[in-house]
C-alpha cells in the first residue's frame, strides 16, 4: 500500500468501521425497509443466481429474494452476526478492498451505501474494481453479457433532505449518529431541548442516561461522479439514476 | 458458516486469487454444528450447476464427513421418481429424494461453528468464531 492508501485505510478504520461496530444493533433497528429500485434488481434475477452483498450491514437485502444465493460481507462483526440469520444466504466479515471470493464467480452483486465511506479517490476506484472483479466476465462477442452490480451512494445534491446539502457544499463530511438514551418520565426538560448538566452531575454514575453521538465519515457524490469512477475502474454503466438523495448505477465488466 | 459458502470463498490476499491452490479453503480444527432449515427443492436444483463438486468432496473428507459420491447428482436425482409420471401439475407435487435431503444437509445445514480456514497457497489462517468467518487481513498483508 502507498502512504496515501495506508492513511485512507486508517482514517476509515477510525471514522467508519469503529463507529458501525459500536452502533450496530441500534443502526440495525432502523434499517428494515428495502428501497424499491434495489428490491426490483434483486427480484428480477433468475432463480439460482449467485451473488454478493458487499457491505451488507444488517442484511436487510438478504430478505428480498430467497430463490438466489447471496454471500454477504461487512467490516463489522456485530452487523454480520445480525445479517447471518437470513436464509438461505450466508454472511462473512470482510473488507471491500480484500474480498475473499474467487474472481468472476458471481452473477450479480449489490453494494448499497458503502463506497461513500471511502476517503480517497484512488480507493473509491479500487473498491469499484473489486466489485467488478467479482462478476462473471462477458462472453466473447457479447458485450454486456457479464454479471451485473448495483451500487448506491449518498448524493451531494439533496436540498430537500433533512441534511439539506446541495451543489457547492463540501463533499467530505462527518455525519452524526445519535443514540438516544432511554428517557425517564420525570425528567421533562422541554421539547427536545437538552438541558446542560453541571459537570458534577455528568460525572456521577448516570442515573440519567445520556444521548451519545457518533460521527461517521461520508464522501457525498456529485452528479456524474459515480459514473466517472466506474469508468476509471473499467466498468460499463448499464443504467443509472437518482433516488431519494442517492446516486445509483448498474454496472457490468467491459469485454 | 454453511459448507455451501465455501464453494464461493477463497483467500482474501490478492496475489493468492490467481493461484489454483488457494481454492477451496481448508477447514482446520473445525467444530461443526447442524442448523436445520427448510429444504427448498427448486433452490437445490438451481444451485447444482454452480457446485465445484471435486472441491466440495475435498472439504467434506477433510471434515471427516461421509464421502460425497464421485460425481454430482443430476436434477432428476433430487426428485423421487413419480410412480405415474403423467400427472399434471407435477411441479408442485415433486418430492425431495434422499439424495436431495443428503445434499441439503451437507450444503445448507452443516455449518462450521468454530475453527480456521486455511489458504492452500500462502498458509494464512482465517478464524471462524460463533459461525462467522473473519477475512480481515492484518496490516502487513494488505
Amino acid at each position: 500500500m502507498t502512504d496515501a492508501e495506508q492513511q485512507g485505510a486508517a482514517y476509515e478504520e477510525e471514522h467508519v468501521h469503529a463507529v458501525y461496530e459500536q452502533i450496530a444493533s441500534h443502526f440495525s433497528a432502523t434499517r428494515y425497509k428495502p428501497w424499491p429500485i434495489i428490491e426490483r434488481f434483486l427480484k428480477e434475477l433468475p432463480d439460482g443466481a449467485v451473488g454478493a452483498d458487499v457491505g451488507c450491514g444488517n442484511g436487510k437485502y438478504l430478505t428480498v429474494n430467497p430463490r438466489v444465493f447471496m454471500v454477504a460481507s461487512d467490516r463489522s462483526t456485530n452487523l454480520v452476526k445480525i445479517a447471518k440469520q437470513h436464509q438461505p444466504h450466508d454472511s462473512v466479515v470482510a473488507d471491500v478492498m480484500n474480498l475473499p471470493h474467487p474472481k468472476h464467480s458471481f452473477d450479480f452483486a449489490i453494494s448499497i451505501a458503502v463506497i461513500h465511506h471511502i476517503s480517497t479517490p484512488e480507493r473509491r476506484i479500487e473498491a469499484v474494481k473489486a466489485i467488478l472483479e467479482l462478476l462473471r466476465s462477458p462472453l466473447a462477442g457479447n458485450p454486456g453479457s457479464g454479471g451485473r452490480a448495483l451500487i448506491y451512494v449518498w448524493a451531494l445534491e439533496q436540498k430537500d433532505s433533512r441534511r439539506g446539502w446541495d451543489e457547492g457544499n463540501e463533499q467530505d463530511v462527518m455525519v452524526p449518529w445519535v443514540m438516544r438514551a432511554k428517557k425517564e418520565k420525570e425528567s421533562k426538560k422541554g421539547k427536545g431541548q437538552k438541558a446542560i448538566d453541571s459537570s458534577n452531575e455528568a460525572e456521577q454514575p448516570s442515573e440519567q442516561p445520556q444521548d451519545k453521538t457518533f460521527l461517521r465519515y461520508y464522501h457525498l457524490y456529485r452528479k456524474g461522479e459515480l459514473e466517472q469512477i466506474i469508468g476509471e475502474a473499467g466498468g460499463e454503466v448499464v443504467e443509472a439514476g437518482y433516488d431519494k438523495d442517492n446516486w445509483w448505477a448498474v454496472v457490468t465488466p467491459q469485454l | 458458516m454453511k459448507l455451501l459458502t465455501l464453494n464461493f470463498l477463497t483467500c482474501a490476499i490478492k496475489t493468492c486469487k490467481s493461484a489454483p491452490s488457494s481454492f477451496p479453503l481448508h477447514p482446520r480444527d473445525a467444530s461443526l454444528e447442524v442448523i436445520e432449515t427448510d429444504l427448498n427443492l427448486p433452490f437445490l436444483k438451481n444451485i447444482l450447476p454452480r457446485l465445484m463438486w471435486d472441491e466440495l468432496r475435498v472439504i467434506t473428507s477433510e471434515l471427516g464427513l461421509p464421502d460425497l459420491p464421485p460425481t454430482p447428482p443430476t436434477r432428476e436425482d433430487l426428485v423421487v421418481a413419480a410412480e405415474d409420471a403423467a400427472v399434471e401439475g407435477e411441479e408442485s407435487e415433486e418430492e425431495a429424494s434422499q439424495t436431495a435431503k443428503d445434499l441439503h444437509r451437507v450444503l445448507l445445514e452443516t455449518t462450521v461453528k468454530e475453527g480456521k480456514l486455511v489458504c492452500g497457497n500462502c498458509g494464512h489462517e482465517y478464524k471462524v468464531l460463533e459461525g462467522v468467518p473473519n477475512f480481515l487481513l492484518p496490516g502487513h498483508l494488505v
Side-chain angles (χ1 to χ4, degrees):
Chain A
M1 269 205 294
T2 64
D3 281 359
E5 273 181 86
Q6 235 155 27
Q7 280 169 17
Y11 184 84
E12 290 151 25
E13 175 56 39
E14 180 179 355
H15 296 289
V16 179
H17 308 138
V19 176
Y20 277 108
E21 193 67 358
Q22 292 177 80
I23 68 175
S25 70
H26 182 235
F27 174 83
S28 176
T30 65
R31 296 288 185 282
Y32 47 85
K33 202 166 183 273
W35 293 343
I37 290 172
I38 305 163
E39 197 170 13
R40 195 191 70 202
F41 177 85
L42 291 171
K43 282 190 167 159
E44 285 175 359
L45 294 165
D47 291 358
V50 176
D53 182 350
V54 177
C56 64
N58 66 343
K60 77 170 173 174
Y61 291 104
L62 302 179
T63 61
V64 173
N65 188 348
R67 296 178 309 283
V68 301
F69 181 62
M70 293 167 77
V71 183
S73 57
D74 201 278
R75 282 282 319 218
S76 163
T77 305
N78 287 340
L79 285 170
V80 168
K81 282 181 186 165
I82 300 170
K84 75 190 276 281
Q85 63 182 302
H86 301 298
Q87 301 295 340
H89 313 293
D90 212 346
S91 307
V92 307
V93 175
D95 189 304
V96 60
M97 302 295 187
N98 299 282
L99 289 167
H101 306 298
K103 288 181 182 181
H104 316 300
S105 54
F106 290 123
D107 304 306
F108 71 96
I110 60 172
S111 186
I112 310 302
V114 175
I115 63 167
H116 56 208
H117 284 309
I118 296 174
S119 61
T120 70
E122 296 74 24
R123 289 171 60 78
R124 284 171 210 134
I125 295 166
E126 281 307 304
V128 173
K129 269 189 194 161
I131 294 165
L132 282 165
E133 209 175 80
L134 298 175
L135 301 172
R136 266 192 295 106
S137 304
L139 303 167
N142 190 0
S145 61
R148 293 189 173 194
L150 174 61
I151 299 175
Y152 255 72
V153 290
W154 222 2
L156 176 64
E157 300 84 354
Q158 47 168 305
K159 63 179 189 308
D160 297 327
S161 79
R162 183 158 62 97
R163 318 273 181 195
W165 297 305
D166 203 359
E167 219 183 317
N169 276 110
E170 172 60 46
Q171 283 183 264
D172 296 284
V173 296
M174 301 302 288
V175 180
W177 179 271
V178 181
M179 265 210 268
R180 297 259 174 241
K182 283 190 190 106
K183 290 234 167 79
E184 284 175 40
K185 278 191 176 165
E186 59 254 52
S187 68
K188 283 184 185 161
K189 290 179 177 172
K191 276 189 193 166
Q193 285 282 28
K194 232 182 354 177
I196 297 163
D197 295 319
S198 80
S199 57
N200 262 351
E201 268 175 31
E203 277 171 29
Q204 279 166 9
S206 54
E207 285 177 43
Q208 289 291 69
Q210 303 290 307
D211 287 355
K212 206 167 176 197
T213 301
F214 297 88
L215 292 175
R216 289 163 299 160
Y217 166 83
Y218 278 87
H219 176 77
L220 305 169
Y221 284 69
R222 280 179 284 107
K223 183 177 189 190
E225 190 177 355
L226 179 59
E227 286 92 330
Q228 185 195 323
I229 67 162
I230 288 168
E232 289 182 50
E236 184 189 326
V237 176
V238 179
E239 208 186 340
Y242 179 86
D243 176 37
K244 284 184 218 137
D245 312 330
N246 289 275
W247 295 110
W248 60 270
V250 174
V251 49
T252 192
Q254 282 178 340
L255 267 181
Chain B
M1 182 198 58
K2 300 175 172 79
L3 297 195
L4 174 59
T5 307
L6 283 170
N7 194 84
F8 302 100
L9 290 176
T10 186
C11 188
I13 296 169
K14 287 191 175 74
T15 48
C16 281
K17 286 186 188 174
S18 39
S21 58
S22 66
F23 180 84
L25 296 173
H26 303 279
R28 190 173 291 165
D29 306 330
S31 56
L32 300 180
E33 180 181 26
V34 172
I35 301 174
E36 293 194 352
T37 60
D38 292 337
L39 188 151
N40 181 335
L41 193 52
F43 180 88
L44 277 182
K45 284 185 188 175
N46 287 326
I47 210 77
L48 274 183
R50 308 308 290 266
L51 300 179
M52 308 289 281
W53 193 254
D54 293 339
E55 287 80 358
L56 284 172
R57 293 187 77 220
V58 170
I59 291 166
T60 52
S61 119
E62 287 175 354
L63 288 169
L65 294 167
D67 279 343
L68 291 174
T71 55
T74 62
R75 288 170 76 91
E76 292 70 38
D77 293 339
L78 298 183
V79 183
V80 174
E83 303 282 286
D84 39 355
V87 188
E88 282 294 303
E90 65 225 68
E91 198 67 28
S92 58
E93 287 166 29
E94 277 186 347
E95 193 188 327
S97 66
Q98 191 55 47
T99 304
K101 289 174 187 167
D102 292 345
L103 194 64
H104 175 70
R105 171 55 63 110
V106 69
L107 292 183
L108 289 145
E109 294 188 323
T110 306
T111 67
V112 178
K113 194 179 182 207
E114 308 282 339
K116 293 168 200 152
L117 302 172
V118 185
C119 172
N121 188 53
C122 71
H124 190 72
E125 297 179 343
Y126 299 95
K127 280 206 174 94
V128 184
L129 288 172
E130 297 178 55
V132 177
N134 188 322
F135 291 96
L136 299 183
L137 297 171
H140 69 279
L141 289 177
V142 174

